[in-house]
Amino acid sequence: MTIQPIVPQPVTATGTAQQAAAVRAPVQSMDANVFMTLLVAQLKNQNPSAPMDTNQMMAQTIQLSMMEKMTELTTNSKEGFSLQMRSAAAQLIGHSVGYTLADGTTGTGIASSVSYAGAVPAVKVGDLSIPLDSITGLTAPAAS
């Protein structure tokens, strides 16, 4: 769990504080640190005459391990998918591709290069930069 420091607001020449934009974004997911913080708080605040059941403690430890492995699996899966998209985009160079843009515009052209600057690789077709997920068709180059 991360606690954001309170930043004092600058004071103007008239002596009033300027309103600053919000700098704190809430954490939307639980990680191992949050789990361990909750577990430690639970252990600190338990009734000494009725301590936590060891079976419950083991179950929570197993849940932590499972959560960490699922997070690792998700990360590896995203990285693998990203590599597959990059490889697929690179293989389009020199091929004739068909595309449909977000506004419904369709077209075809020869893929000349690929950019990996964004989350989704973009294929250069003529003067347009087409996102890989907008490519609708592919034609192999003519044999020479």
Side-chain angles (χ1 to χ4, degrees):
M1 181 161 46
T2 304
I3 299 175
Q4 298 292 333
I6 297 174
V7 179
Q9 295 185 4
V11 178
T12 63
T14 61
T16 59
Q18 293 177 342
Q19 292 295 328
V23 293
R24 182 178 175 271
V27 176
Q28 297 295 325
S29 62
M30 291 185 65
D31 60 1
N33 292 333
V34 172
F35 185 87
M36 289 306 291
T37 302
L38 291 172
L39 182 61
V40 168
Q42 183 178 3
L43 290 173
K44 282 182 180 178
N45 296 312
Q46 71 180 342
N47 182 352
S49 63
M52 179 187 269
D53 182 20
T54 55
N55 290 335
Q56 286 181 344
M57 179 78 109
M58 289 302 297
Q60 289 181 0
T61 305
I62 290 170
Q63 287 176 346
L64 172 62
S65 288
M66 288 175 58
M67 182 187 69
E68 288 176 338
K69 291 301 176 185
M70 291 296 288
T71 302
E72 183 180 329
L73 182 62
T74 300
T75 301
N76 289 343
S77 178
K78 287 180 181 178
E79 288 174 0
F81 182 66
S82 176
L83 289 172
Q84 286 178 338
M85 283 195 312
R86 288 172 179 250
S87 176
Q91 291 176 4
L92 294 177
I93 296 174
H95 290 76
S96 176
V97 295
Y99 57 87
T100 302
L101 300 177
D103 64 0
T105 305
T106 61
T108 60
I110 303 294
S112 59
S113 65
V114 177
S115 171
Y116 301 119
V120 175
V123 179
K124 183 87 168 176
V125 178
D127 292 335
L128 296 174
S129 183
I130 311 296
L132 181 63
D133 54 2
S134 294
I135 303 291
T136 58
L138 172 68
T139 305
S144 41

